Amino acid sequence: MEMEMEMEMRAEEDIEIGEDITPPLTPLAFALHDSLLSSHCSSCFSLLPPHPFPPLHFTPTFPHNPHHVLSSSSYCSPLCSTSDSPLHVSSAELHLLHLLQSHPSTYPHGDSSDLRAALRLLHSLPAMGPSARIVGLLTNHHKFLHHDDHHRIRDGARAMFLARKMRDEAPNVCSDNSSSVSPDDAVLEEAALCLVLTNAVEVQDKTGRTLGISVYGPSFCWINHSCSPNACYRFLVSPPPPPPCSAEKTPLRIAPLGQGTQIESGVCSNNVFIKECGSYGPRVIVRSIKRIKKGEEVTVTYTDLLQPKAMRQSELWSRYRFICSCTRCSASPLTYVDQVLEEISAANFNSSSLSSDINFNRDKATQRLTNYIDDAIDDYLSIGDPESSSVRLEHVLTQGLSDKQSECEEETSQLTYWLHPLHHLSLNAYTTLASAYKIRATDLSALYSKMDDHLLNALDLSRTSTAYSLLLAGATHHLFRSESSLIVSVANFWSSAGESLLTLARSSVWSQFVQQDLPVSNPSSTGKYRCPNCSLADKFETDSFHGQVRYADFDYVSNEFVDCVNNFTQNVWNFLGLGCHYLRVVKNPIDFSWLGTIRYSSVGEDIVRSSGTEVASKCGAGRRISGSEAEGYNNQVRICLFKLGVHCLLYGGYLASICYGNSHLTRNVGKILDLEESIESLS
């Protein structure tokens, strides 16, 4: 993606929020990740059918094993196979895969998708020498050669060179002679690989799973980065429609700054790219997430916007070799969002007093907390121990992390560090806790079918998972109100919170506490569960089924949603936080005014004052629900949870429709109708 500010794309007309800015753009080059070659289509990246289509019949054999044909690509349809198979072979991508399979030491750096995309790019474009730009796209060749990762680039270029030589001279080439390839032999391959590393984007499916990488032409790659962007993009991962396509296409509503689209320094016009690329590969569409005036620069983000400034800057430099100077990064003092994303409190503890200490090494504290939380999350993601991960994360959220000194120092120098509830590490912890508790509940329910204490504990775990999911959505929404470019993350978190709330509300285990089921009289309507104080459900349902969502009243809709959700949350938050000390300290997951002056408050001190120094209780860790807790499991709470879930799911779909299109709101409305039918079936 573009990094030099002289190349930028500007709006050719006024663009409202939630509008497509480009038509579906086809890639210059693309490649699935190695691990997905056997499960996804190598052309469009969609899931393969039960009986996928192989490459065309001319796939070659190799001299080291002439009876073996390397199976390296599969396709979802004859169209994808016909369009991609020739390039798979002629670009030497197939030869590269054979080389890496037979001699892994040729490229000991893991996934080869960058190399394969670079080979495809080299073969598809006219012959040319290495330069600062190739077909208009920046290579950063000179910067990458001074990069810490330059060995990977050199090894990759050598492997590409050998693969292309195998293609041209297959019977006479030894595939393990990478040491004989000098840097001068593979200069063009190096430039192409650097271009891919600079400009490629990760292609994701609708669940957010990364499938592979893709490089697009200037219409996309000249869109610069901002940490407060006004646009986002989505991918179309499906077979392309057969020509001719009668569907109406969005025109290209952006153009480069300068003399039209034909720029010097080797840049081709957009029309040339469209002809060269054909119509296959994962397509990308750019969409506005803010109102954009005619002549205003269009920007997207290249990094995670829920990271603090220092982390964003480090990642952008490491990956793209530039220092961001957008309005958010240039703000002095830091923006409110960047302040709280890195806010840490510290306090001294001894036998006689508890005092705040603002003079401490923040870099050291951040690193210690980061290492601890990353390690705790790794317990879940890598080791597969969600309970250990939950206990450790809740311990650091509630009790902080002690700064154990290696030297003998005065007692008053013993510090304990706490994360601000809106710190980016806290948000990561909430994400993991919501998932870990959900997995623990699912695993426990799968082991026991009879209604007993185990299933009650499973409901307890599910309740805690829901609480963390709601806290994550509320916390990011609080930040979103100050930085609207966080809309993509907020949309996902509200949808997840809504699904979690609705799943909890319809659990059959409620029958142990509630004799009366949810009174669903008409499963085709959400009317029973609409808040009498707002018309969100009516508006969203009408808009979604008419295929047109109106965003002119975006601020009004958002404010109305927050008011309603806040009212519901006040009625169920104590119930959701039962048995979990950290959740009880969070007074309100929607309205964070309880934090006071956030920049100088010490949340850690509040936690300690309210809990002493006791270790946080293990939420739902195999304990029986007490009688006082069971009182919270009543029909009034259950219905309130359902209403809250409906609001969250609808609003999440509304925000997602701004980012991705109307189908996301329609899908969430459909989920609500399905859940209502499920609840009616419990009667």
Side-chain angles (χ1 to χ4, degrees), residues 241-249:
C245 180
S246 59
E248 182 178 347
K249 291 185 178 180

Side-chain angles (χ1 to χ4, degrees), residues 20-76:
D20 286 347
I21 299 175
T22 70
L25 302 173
T26 53
L28 297 176
F30 54 92
L32 275 173
H33 286 321
D34 293 354
S35 60
L36 301 180
L37 285 170
S38 61
S39 61
H40 287 69
C41 177
S42 289
S43 177
C44 69
F45 288 18
S46 61
L47 271 172
L48 291 173
H51 302 288
F53 294 84
L56 295 180
H57 64 278
F58 57 77
T59 300
T61 58
F62 294 93
H64 293 285
N65 188 353
H67 301 292
H68 173 66
V69 176
L70 183 68
S71 177
S72 57
S73 63
S74 298
Y75 301 98
C76 65

Side-chain angles (χ1 to χ4, degrees), residues 344-552:
I344 295 175
S345 300
N348 285 335
F349 294 94
N350 56 42
S351 57
S352 60
S353 66
L354 168 65
S355 61
S356 176
D357 190 328
I358 61 173
N359 297 315
F360 64 95
N361 188 327
R362 292 184 178 272
D363 290 340
K364 175 185 176 182
T366 299
Q367 191 58 55
R368 284 182 56 80
L369 286 162
T370 299
N371 291 342
Y372 182 93
I373 287 184
D374 286 350
D375 191 51
I377 292 175
D378 195 58
D379 280 355
Y380 172 44
L381 298 180
S382 298
I383 301 176
D385 189 348
E387 183 171 0
S388 171
S389 179
S390 302
V391 170
R392 294 181 66 188
L393 289 173
E394 285 175 332
H395 175 83
V396 72
L397 289 174
T398 307
Q399 300 300 312
L401 188 65
S402 175
D403 181 16
K404 296 179 180 179
Q405 304 292 338
S406 59
E407 303 175 3
C408 181
E409 301 184 23
E410 296 181 8
E411 184 179 6
T412 55
S413 68
Q414 181 75 20
L415 295 178
T416 298
Y417 306 125
W418 277 276
L419 296 168
H420 191 286
L422 300 175
H423 193 283
H424 76 98
L425 291 175
S426 298
L427 302 181
N428 291 345
Y430 304 156
T431 304
T432 304
L433 286 163
S435 178
Y437 272 110
K438 181 179 179 180
I439 289 295
R440 292 170 63 187
T442 301
D443 291 346
L444 195 59
S445 298
L447 291 174
Y448 303 95
S449 57
K450 185 173 65 174
M451 190 68 67
D452 57 12
D453 287 348
H454 293 99
L455 289 186
L456 299 183
N457 283 326
L459 183 62
D460 200 21
L461 292 165
S462 179
R463 173 174 53 79
T464 305
S465 169
T466 300
Y468 278 113
S469 185
L470 182 60
L471 174 57
L472 177 64
T476 51
H477 188 88
H478 176 78
L479 300 176
F480 166 66
R481 298 180 82 169
S482 297
E483 178 51 73
S484 62
S485 60
L486 298 175
I487 186 171
V488 175
S489 296
V490 176
N492 293 332
F493 292 148
W494 277 125
S495 294
S496 295
E499 291 179 0
S500 186
L501 285 159
L502 292 171
T503 300
L504 176 64
R506 71 187 183 98
S507 171
S508 59
V509 186
W510 280 86
S511 62
Q512 291 293 298
F513 309 101
V514 179
Q515 299 303 315
Q516 178 185 3
D517 289 308
L518 288 176
V520 181
S521 59
N522 180 7
S524 65
S525 170
T526 57
K528 278 281 184 179
Y529 303 101
R530 287 171 179 156
C531 175
N533 299 320
C534 75
S535 58
L536 294 185
D538 287 324
K539 169 183 170 53
F540 295 160
E541 188 173 337
T542 300
D543 287 351
S544 66
F545 285 111
H546 282 82
Q548 181 63 45
V549 183
R550 298 180 295 274
Y551 303 114

